[in-house]
Amino acid sequence: MSKVSVKINKIKNKLDTISGLDGDFVFERILEIEKVVDKNVNEIDEYCNEDELNGTIFE
């Protein structure tokens, strides 16, 4: 398993620990996390689209 997959799974596990919670405070924090994730995933996608080897073990 790649180090990226390991890190993503750790983040998922952290989020799972709060998945049963509710309320405005928690929901607003989740929206903030989503904004950051969207921004960073878009940056990664753009980087990978610049060159077919970007983001691979061959870069």
Short mmCIF file of all heavy atoms in Angstrom, two decimals:
data_model
loop_
_atom_site.label_atom_id
_atom_site.label_comp_id
_atom_site.label_asym_id
_atom_site.label_seq_id
_atom_site.Cartn_x
_atom_site.Cartn_y
_atom_site.Cartn_z
N MET A 1 0.84 -1.17 0.00
CA MET A 1 0.00 0.00 0.00
C MET A 1 0.89 1.24 0.00
O MET A 1 1.88 1.30 0.72
CB MET A 1 -0.90 -0.03 1.24
CG MET A 1 -1.92 1.06 1.26
SD MET A 1 -3.05 1.01 2.63
CE MET A 1 -3.96 -0.48 2.33
N SER A 2 0.53 2.23 -0.81
CA SER A 2 1.35 3.43 -0.92
C SER A 2 1.23 4.29 0.33
O SER A 2 0.26 4.20 1.08
CB SER A 2 0.94 4.24 -2.15
OG SER A 2 -0.28 4.91 -1.91
N LYS A 3 2.21 5.16 0.52
CA LYS A 3 2.17 6.05 1.68
C LYS A 3 0.99 7.01 1.58
O LYS A 3 0.45 7.44 2.59
CB LYS A 3 3.49 6.78 1.87
CG LYS A 3 3.87 7.75 0.77
CD LYS A 3 5.22 8.37 1.05
CE LYS A 3 5.66 9.28 -0.08
NZ LYS A 3 6.98 9.84 0.16
N VAL A 4 0.57 7.34 0.36
CA VAL A 4 -0.60 8.20 0.18
C VAL A 4 -1.86 7.46 0.65
O VAL A 4 -2.68 8.02 1.38
CB VAL A 4 -0.73 8.66 -1.29
CG1 VAL A 4 -2.04 9.39 -1.52
CG2 VAL A 4 0.45 9.53 -1.68
N SER A 5 -2.00 6.21 0.25
CA SER A 5 -3.16 5.42 0.69
C SER A 5 -3.20 5.26 2.20
O SER A 5 -4.26 5.37 2.81
CB SER A 5 -3.14 4.03 0.04
OG SER A 5 -3.31 4.13 -1.34
N VAL A 6 -2.05 5.04 2.80
CA VAL A 6 -1.98 4.90 4.26
C VAL A 6 -2.44 6.18 4.93
O VAL A 6 -3.24 6.16 5.87
CB VAL A 6 -0.55 4.51 4.70
CG1 VAL A 6 -0.40 4.60 6.21
CG2 VAL A 6 -0.21 3.11 4.22
N LYS A 7 -1.95 7.33 4.45
CA LYS A 7 -2.31 8.61 5.04
C LYS A 7 -3.80 8.90 4.86
O LYS A 7 -4.48 9.36 5.78
CB LYS A 7 -1.46 9.73 4.42
CG LYS A 7 -1.73 11.10 5.00
CD LYS A 7 -1.58 11.16 6.51
CE LYS A 7 -0.15 11.23 6.94
NZ LYS A 7 0.03 11.41 8.38
N ILE A 8 -4.34 8.62 3.68
CA ILE A 8 -5.76 8.84 3.43
C ILE A 8 -6.61 7.96 4.35
O ILE A 8 -7.61 8.42 4.92
CB ILE A 8 -6.10 8.59 1.95
CG1 ILE A 8 -5.54 9.73 1.10
CG2 ILE A 8 -7.61 8.46 1.74
CD1 ILE A 8 -5.64 9.50 -0.39
N ASN A 9 -6.20 6.72 4.55
CA ASN A 9 -6.94 5.83 5.44
C ASN A 9 -6.91 6.33 6.88
O ASN A 9 -7.90 6.22 7.61
CB ASN A 9 -6.41 4.40 5.35
CG ASN A 9 -6.84 3.72 4.06
OD1 ASN A 9 -7.87 4.06 3.49
ND2 ASN A 9 -6.05 2.79 3.60
N LYS A 10 -5.79 6.89 7.30
CA LYS A 10 -5.71 7.46 8.66
C LYS A 10 -6.64 8.64 8.81
O LYS A 10 -7.31 8.79 9.84
CB LYS A 10 -4.27 7.85 9.00
CG LYS A 10 -3.37 6.67 9.25
CD LYS A 10 -1.95 7.10 9.61
CE LYS A 10 -1.07 5.90 9.84
NZ LYS A 10 0.29 6.28 10.23
N ILE A 11 -6.71 9.48 7.79
CA ILE A 11 -7.62 10.63 7.83
C ILE A 11 -9.07 10.15 7.86
O ILE A 11 -9.89 10.66 8.63
CB ILE A 11 -7.37 11.56 6.63
CG1 ILE A 11 -5.99 12.22 6.76
CG2 ILE A 11 -8.46 12.61 6.50
CD1 ILE A 11 -5.52 12.94 5.50
N LYS A 12 -9.40 9.15 7.04
CA LYS A 12 -10.75 8.58 7.04
C LYS A 12 -11.11 8.04 8.42
O LYS A 12 -12.23 8.26 8.90
CB LYS A 12 -10.87 7.46 6.01
CG LYS A 12 -10.92 7.90 4.59
CD LYS A 12 -11.03 6.67 3.70
CE LYS A 12 -10.89 6.98 2.25
NZ LYS A 12 -10.93 5.77 1.42
N ASN A 13 -10.18 7.35 9.04
CA ASN A 13 -10.44 6.79 10.37
C ASN A 13 -10.71 7.89 11.39
O ASN A 13 -11.59 7.75 12.26
CB ASN A 13 -9.28 5.91 10.83
CG ASN A 13 -9.19 4.62 10.05
OD1 ASN A 13 -10.17 4.17 9.46
ND2 ASN A 13 -8.02 4.01 10.03
N LYS A 14 -9.97 8.99 11.31
CA LYS A 14 -10.21 10.12 12.22
C LYS A 14 -11.61 10.68 12.01
O LYS A 14 -12.32 10.99 12.96
CB LYS A 14 -9.17 11.22 12.01
CG LYS A 14 -7.80 10.86 12.52
CD LYS A 14 -6.82 11.98 12.24
CE LYS A 14 -5.42 11.61 12.67
NZ LYS A 14 -4.44 12.68 12.42
N LEU A 15 -12.01 10.84 10.75
CA LEU A 15 -13.34 11.36 10.46
C LEU A 15 -14.43 10.39 10.91
O LEU A 15 -15.48 10.82 11.39
CB LEU A 15 -13.48 11.68 8.97
CG LEU A 15 -12.67 12.88 8.48
CD1 LEU A 15 -12.72 12.96 6.96
CD2 LEU A 15 -13.16 14.16 9.11
N ASP A 16 -14.16 9.10 10.79
CA ASP A 16 -15.15 8.11 11.23
C ASP A 16 -15.43 8.20 12.73
O ASP A 16 -16.53 7.88 13.17
CB ASP A 16 -14.68 6.69 10.88
CG ASP A 16 -14.88 6.35 9.41
OD1 ASP A 16 -15.66 7.06 8.74
OD2 ASP A 16 -14.26 5.38 8.95
N THR A 17 -14.44 8.66 13.50
CA THR A 17 -14.66 8.75 14.95
C THR A 17 -15.68 9.81 15.31
O THR A 17 -16.25 9.76 16.41
CB THR A 17 -13.34 9.04 15.71
OG1 THR A 17 -12.88 10.36 15.39
CG2 THR A 17 -12.28 8.00 15.42
N ILE A 18 -15.94 10.75 14.41
CA ILE A 18 -16.93 11.79 14.70
C ILE A 18 -18.15 11.70 13.80
O ILE A 18 -19.02 12.57 13.83
CB ILE A 18 -16.30 13.20 14.59
CG1 ILE A 18 -15.76 13.47 13.19
CG2 ILE A 18 -15.22 13.39 15.63
CD1 ILE A 18 -15.37 14.90 12.93
N SER A 19 -18.27 10.64 13.01
CA SER A 19 -19.34 10.55 12.02
C SER A 19 -20.73 10.45 12.66
O SER A 19 -21.71 10.79 12.01
CB SER A 19 -19.11 9.37 11.07
OG SER A 19 -19.20 8.15 11.78
N GLY A 20 -20.83 10.02 13.89
CA GLY A 20 -22.14 9.91 14.53
C GLY A 20 -22.60 11.20 15.19
O GLY A 20 -23.72 11.27 15.70
N LEU A 21 -21.77 12.21 15.19
CA LEU A 21 -22.11 13.47 15.84
C LEU A 21 -23.01 14.31 14.93
O LEU A 21 -23.11 14.07 13.74
CB LEU A 21 -20.84 14.25 16.19
CG LEU A 21 -19.88 13.55 17.14
CD1 LEU A 21 -18.63 14.37 17.33
CD2 LEU A 21 -20.55 13.25 18.47
N ASP A 22 -23.63 15.31 15.53
CA ASP A 22 -24.52 16.17 14.77
C ASP A 22 -24.46 17.57 15.37
O ASP A 22 -23.72 17.82 16.30
CB ASP A 22 -25.95 15.63 14.81
CG ASP A 22 -26.75 16.01 13.58
OD1 ASP A 22 -26.30 16.90 12.82
OD2 ASP A 22 -27.83 15.44 13.37
N GLY A 23 -25.23 18.46 14.83
CA GLY A 23 -25.28 19.82 15.36
C GLY A 23 -24.53 20.79 14.47
O GLY A 23 -23.68 20.42 13.67
N ASP A 24 -24.88 22.05 14.64
CA ASP A 24 -24.32 23.10 13.79
C ASP A 24 -22.81 23.24 13.94
O ASP A 24 -22.10 23.42 12.95
CB ASP A 24 -24.98 24.44 14.10
CG ASP A 24 -26.44 24.48 13.67
OD1 ASP A 24 -26.82 23.65 12.80
OD2 ASP A 24 -27.18 25.33 14.18
N PHE A 25 -22.30 23.18 15.16
CA PHE A 25 -20.86 23.34 15.38
C PHE A 25 -20.07 22.29 14.60
O PHE A 25 -19.14 22.61 13.86
CB PHE A 25 -20.52 23.24 16.87
CG PHE A 25 -19.05 23.31 17.15
CD1 PHE A 25 -18.39 24.53 17.21
CD2 PHE A 25 -18.30 22.15 17.34
CE1 PHE A 25 -17.03 24.60 17.45
CE2 PHE A 25 -16.94 22.21 17.58
CZ PHE A 25 -16.30 23.43 17.64
N VAL A 26 -20.46 21.04 14.75
CA VAL A 26 -19.76 19.94 14.08
C VAL A 26 -19.91 20.08 12.57
O VAL A 26 -18.93 19.95 11.81
CB VAL A 26 -20.28 18.57 14.56
CG1 VAL A 26 -19.64 17.43 13.78
CG2 VAL A 26 -20.02 18.41 16.06
N PHE A 27 -21.13 20.35 12.11
CA PHE A 27 -21.38 20.44 10.67
C PHE A 27 -20.58 21.56 10.03
O PHE A 27 -20.00 21.39 8.95
CB PHE A 27 -22.88 20.62 10.39
CG PHE A 27 -23.22 20.47 8.95
CD1 PHE A 27 -23.20 19.22 8.34
CD2 PHE A 27 -23.54 21.57 8.18
CE1 PHE A 27 -23.50 19.07 7.00
CE2 PHE A 27 -23.85 21.44 6.83
CZ PHE A 27 -23.83 20.19 6.24
N GLU A 28 -20.49 22.71 10.69
CA GLU A 28 -19.71 23.83 10.15
C GLU A 28 -18.23 23.48 10.06
O GLU A 28 -17.55 23.87 9.11
CB GLU A 28 -19.91 25.08 10.99
CG GLU A 28 -21.29 25.68 10.80
CD GLU A 28 -21.55 26.88 11.69
OE1 GLU A 28 -20.57 27.50 12.17
OE2 GLU A 28 -22.73 27.20 11.90
N ARG A 29 -17.70 22.74 11.03
CA ARG A 29 -16.29 22.32 10.98
C ARG A 29 -16.07 21.35 9.82
O ARG A 29 -15.05 21.39 9.15
CB ARG A 29 -15.86 21.67 12.29
CG ARG A 29 -15.86 22.59 13.51
CD ARG A 29 -14.99 23.74 13.32
NE ARG A 29 -15.25 25.07 13.77
CZ ARG A 29 -16.36 25.73 14.06
NH1 ARG A 29 -17.50 25.15 14.04
NH2 ARG A 29 -16.37 26.98 14.39
N ILE A 30 -17.04 20.46 9.59
CA ILE A 30 -16.93 19.51 8.48
C ILE A 30 -16.94 20.26 7.14
O ILE A 30 -16.19 19.91 6.22
CB ILE A 30 -18.07 18.47 8.54
CG1 ILE A 30 -17.94 17.60 9.79
CG2 ILE A 30 -18.11 17.59 7.28
CD1 ILE A 30 -16.66 16.81 9.89
N LEU A 31 -17.75 21.30 7.04
CA LEU A 31 -17.76 22.11 5.82
C LEU A 31 -16.40 22.77 5.59
O LEU A 31 -15.94 22.86 4.44
CB LEU A 31 -18.87 23.16 5.87
CG LEU A 31 -20.30 22.64 5.79
CD1 LEU A 31 -21.29 23.79 5.93
CD2 LEU A 31 -20.54 21.88 4.50
N GLU A 32 -15.76 23.22 6.65
CA GLU A 32 -14.43 23.81 6.53
C GLU A 32 -13.43 22.77 6.05
O GLU A 32 -12.57 23.07 5.20
CB GLU A 32 -13.99 24.40 7.87
CG GLU A 32 -14.74 25.64 8.27
CD GLU A 32 -14.34 26.15 9.64
OE1 GLU A 32 -13.24 25.83 10.11
OE2 GLU A 32 -15.15 26.88 10.23
N ILE A 33 -13.51 21.57 6.60
CA ILE A 33 -12.62 20.48 6.17
C ILE A 33 -12.85 20.19 4.70
O ILE A 33 -11.90 20.02 3.92
CB ILE A 33 -12.84 19.22 7.02
CG1 ILE A 33 -12.36 19.46 8.46
CG2 ILE A 33 -12.15 18.01 6.41
CD1 ILE A 33 -12.77 18.37 9.44
N GLU A 34 -14.11 20.15 4.28
CA GLU A 34 -14.44 19.86 2.89
C GLU A 34 -13.84 20.90 1.94
O GLU A 34 -13.30 20.55 0.87
CB GLU A 34 -15.95 19.80 2.70
CG GLU A 34 -16.36 19.43 1.29
CD GLU A 34 -17.86 19.34 1.14
OE1 GLU A 34 -18.60 20.09 1.83
OE2 GLU A 34 -18.30 18.53 0.30
N LYS A 35 -13.90 22.17 2.30
CA LYS A 35 -13.32 23.23 1.47
C LYS A 35 -11.82 23.03 1.28
O LYS A 35 -11.29 23.17 0.17
CB LYS A 35 -13.58 24.60 2.08
CG LYS A 35 -15.01 25.07 1.98
CD LYS A 35 -15.17 26.41 2.65
CE LYS A 35 -16.62 26.82 2.74
NZ LYS A 35 -16.79 28.09 3.47
N VAL A 36 -11.13 22.70 2.36
CA VAL A 36 -9.69 22.48 2.29
C VAL A 36 -9.38 21.25 1.43
O VAL A 36 -8.48 21.27 0.58
CB VAL A 36 -9.08 22.33 3.70
CG1 VAL A 36 -7.63 21.90 3.63
CG2 VAL A 36 -9.22 23.63 4.48
N VAL A 37 -10.14 20.18 1.64
CA VAL A 37 -9.92 18.95 0.88
C VAL A 37 -10.16 19.22 -0.61
O VAL A 37 -9.35 18.83 -1.46
CB VAL A 37 -10.83 17.82 1.40
CG1 VAL A 37 -10.82 16.63 0.45
CG2 VAL A 37 -10.39 17.39 2.79
N ASP A 38 -11.27 19.90 -0.93
CA ASP A 38 -11.56 20.21 -2.34
C ASP A 38 -10.44 21.00 -2.98
O ASP A 38 -9.99 20.68 -4.09
CB ASP A 38 -12.87 20.99 -2.46
CG ASP A 38 -14.10 20.14 -2.20
OD1 ASP A 38 -13.99 18.90 -2.19
OD2 ASP A 38 -15.18 20.74 -2.02
N LYS A 39 -9.96 22.02 -2.29
CA LYS A 39 -8.88 22.86 -2.82
C LYS A 39 -7.62 22.04 -3.08
O LYS A 39 -7.01 22.13 -4.15
CB LYS A 39 -8.57 23.99 -1.85
CG LYS A 39 -7.43 24.89 -2.27
CD LYS A 39 -7.12 25.93 -1.20
CE LYS A 39 -5.95 26.81 -1.54
NZ LYS A 39 -4.68 26.13 -1.57
N ASN A 40 -7.24 21.23 -2.11
CA ASN A 40 -6.01 20.45 -2.26
C ASN A 40 -6.13 19.35 -3.29
O ASN A 40 -5.18 19.10 -4.05
CB ASN A 40 -5.57 19.89 -0.90
CG ASN A 40 -5.00 20.96 -0.01
OD1 ASN A 40 -4.19 21.77 -0.43
ND2 ASN A 40 -5.44 21.00 1.23
N VAL A 41 -7.28 18.70 -3.37
CA VAL A 41 -7.47 17.66 -4.38
C VAL A 41 -7.43 18.28 -5.77
O VAL A 41 -6.82 17.72 -6.69
CB VAL A 41 -8.79 16.89 -4.14
CG1 VAL A 41 -9.16 16.03 -5.33
CG2 VAL A 41 -8.68 16.03 -2.89
N ASN A 42 -8.03 19.46 -5.93
CA ASN A 42 -7.96 20.14 -7.23
C ASN A 42 -6.52 20.48 -7.60
O ASN A 42 -6.13 20.31 -8.76
CB ASN A 42 -8.82 21.40 -7.22
CG ASN A 42 -10.29 21.09 -7.24
OD1 ASN A 42 -10.70 20.02 -7.70
ND2 ASN A 42 -11.10 22.01 -6.75
N GLU A 43 -5.72 20.94 -6.65
CA GLU A 43 -4.31 21.24 -6.91
C GLU A 43 -3.55 19.98 -7.32
O GLU A 43 -2.73 20.01 -8.24
CB GLU A 43 -3.66 21.88 -5.69
CG GLU A 43 -4.11 23.29 -5.42
CD GLU A 43 -3.53 23.86 -4.13
OE1 GLU A 43 -2.80 23.16 -3.42
OE2 GLU A 43 -3.83 25.03 -3.84
N ILE A 44 -3.83 18.88 -6.63
CA ILE A 44 -3.17 17.62 -6.97
C ILE A 44 -3.58 17.16 -8.36
O ILE A 44 -2.73 16.72 -9.15
CB ILE A 44 -3.49 16.54 -5.91
CG1 ILE A 44 -2.82 16.91 -4.59
CG2 ILE A 44 -3.05 15.15 -6.39
CD1 ILE A 44 -3.29 16.09 -3.39
N ASP A 45 -4.88 17.25 -8.68
CA ASP A 45 -5.35 16.88 -10.02
C ASP A 45 -4.67 17.70 -11.10
O ASP A 45 -4.24 17.15 -12.12
CB ASP A 45 -6.88 17.06 -10.12
CG ASP A 45 -7.65 15.93 -9.45
OD1 ASP A 45 -7.07 14.85 -9.21
OD2 ASP A 45 -8.84 16.16 -9.16
N GLU A 46 -4.58 19.01 -10.88
CA GLU A 46 -3.91 19.87 -11.86
C GLU A 46 -2.45 19.47 -12.04
O GLU A 46 -1.95 19.42 -13.16
CB GLU A 46 -4.01 21.33 -11.43
CG GLU A 46 -5.40 21.91 -11.58
CD GLU A 46 -5.51 23.33 -11.06
OE1 GLU A 46 -4.45 23.96 -10.77
OE2 GLU A 46 -6.64 23.82 -10.93
N TYR A 47 -1.78 19.19 -10.93
CA TYR A 47 -0.37 18.76 -10.98
C TYR A 47 -0.24 17.47 -11.78
O TYR A 47 0.64 17.35 -12.64
CB TYR A 47 0.16 18.59 -9.56
CG TYR A 47 1.53 17.96 -9.50
CD1 TYR A 47 2.66 18.67 -9.86
CD2 TYR A 47 1.69 16.63 -9.09
CE1 TYR A 47 3.91 18.10 -9.81
CE2 TYR A 47 2.94 16.05 -9.04
CZ TYR A 47 4.05 16.78 -9.41
OH TYR A 47 5.29 16.21 -9.36
N CYS A 48 -1.12 16.53 -11.51
CA CYS A 48 -1.04 15.24 -12.21
C CYS A 48 -1.36 15.38 -13.69
O CYS A 48 -0.84 14.61 -14.51
CB CYS A 48 -1.98 14.23 -11.56
SG CYS A 48 -1.43 13.71 -9.93
N ASN A 49 -2.19 16.34 -14.03
CA ASN A 49 -2.56 16.54 -15.44
C ASN A 49 -1.48 17.27 -16.24
O ASN A 49 -1.50 17.23 -17.47
CB ASN A 49 -3.89 17.29 -15.54
CG ASN A 49 -5.06 16.44 -15.10
OD1 ASN A 49 -5.03 15.22 -15.19
ND2 ASN A 49 -6.10 17.09 -14.60
N GLU A 50 -0.54 17.90 -15.55
CA GLU A 50 0.55 18.60 -16.25
C GLU A 50 1.47 17.64 -16.98
O GLU A 50 1.99 17.96 -18.04
CB GLU A 50 1.37 19.43 -15.25
CG GLU A 50 0.66 20.64 -14.73
CD GLU A 50 1.46 21.35 -13.65
OE1 GLU A 50 2.58 20.89 -13.30
OE2 GLU A 50 0.96 22.36 -13.13
N ASP A 51 1.67 16.48 -16.43
CA ASP A 51 2.57 15.48 -17.00
C ASP A 51 2.06 14.12 -16.56
O ASP A 51 1.71 13.94 -15.40
CB ASP A 51 4.00 15.70 -16.50
CG ASP A 51 5.01 14.78 -17.15
OD1 ASP A 51 4.83 13.54 -17.06
OD2 ASP A 51 5.97 15.27 -17.73
N GLU A 52 2.02 13.16 -17.46
CA GLU A 52 1.46 11.85 -17.13
C GLU A 52 2.24 11.12 -16.04
O GLU A 52 1.71 10.21 -15.41
CB GLU A 52 1.33 10.98 -18.38
CG GLU A 52 2.66 10.61 -19.01
CD GLU A 52 2.49 9.82 -20.30
OE1 GLU A 52 1.50 10.04 -21.01
OE2 GLU A 52 3.39 8.99 -20.58
N LEU A 53 3.48 11.53 -15.79
CA LEU A 53 4.27 10.88 -14.75
C LEU A 53 4.15 11.56 -13.39
O LEU A 53 4.54 10.99 -12.37
CB LEU A 53 5.73 10.80 -15.16
CG LEU A 53 6.05 9.94 -16.39
CD1 LEU A 53 7.54 9.95 -16.67
CD2 LEU A 53 5.54 8.52 -16.22
N ASN A 54 3.62 12.79 -13.37
CA ASN A 54 3.45 13.49 -12.10
C ASN A 54 2.53 12.69 -11.18
O ASN A 54 1.47 12.24 -11.58
CB ASN A 54 2.85 14.88 -12.32
CG ASN A 54 3.84 15.87 -12.86
OD1 ASN A 54 5.03 15.57 -13.04
ND2 ASN A 54 3.37 17.07 -13.15
N GLY A 55 2.96 12.53 -9.96
CA GLY A 55 2.16 11.81 -8.97
C GLY A 55 2.31 10.31 -9.04
O GLY A 55 1.62 9.58 -8.33
N THR A 56 3.22 9.84 -9.88
CA THR A 56 3.45 8.39 -9.98
C THR A 56 4.82 8.06 -9.37
O THR A 56 5.63 8.95 -9.07
CB THR A 56 3.44 7.91 -11.44
OG1 THR A 56 4.60 8.41 -12.11
CG2 THR A 56 2.18 8.37 -12.17
N ILE A 57 5.07 6.78 -9.25
CA ILE A 57 6.38 6.36 -8.72
C ILE A 57 7.49 6.63 -9.72
O ILE A 57 8.67 6.55 -9.38
CB ILE A 57 6.38 4.87 -8.33
CG1 ILE A 57 6.10 3.98 -9.54
CG2 ILE A 57 5.38 4.61 -7.23
CD1 ILE A 57 6.29 2.50 -9.29
N PHE A 58 7.13 6.96 -10.96
CA PHE A 58 8.14 7.19 -12.01
C PHE A 58 8.55 8.63 -12.16
O PHE A 58 9.39 8.95 -12.98
CB PHE A 58 7.59 6.68 -13.36
CG PHE A 58 7.18 5.24 -13.31
CD1 PHE A 58 5.84 4.90 -13.33
CD2 PHE A 58 8.12 4.23 -13.18
CE1 PHE A 58 5.46 3.58 -13.28
CE2 PHE A 58 7.75 2.91 -13.12
CZ PHE A 58 6.41 2.57 -13.17
N GLU A 59 7.96 9.55 -11.37
CA GLU A 59 8.29 10.96 -11.55
C GLU A 59 9.67 11.27 -11.05
O GLU A 59 10.27 10.66 -10.28
CB GLU A 59 7.21 11.83 -10.91
CG GLU A 59 7.51 12.41 -9.60
CD GLU A 59 6.37 13.24 -9.03
OE1 GLU A 59 6.10 14.32 -9.57
OE2 GLU A 59 5.75 12.77 -8.07
#
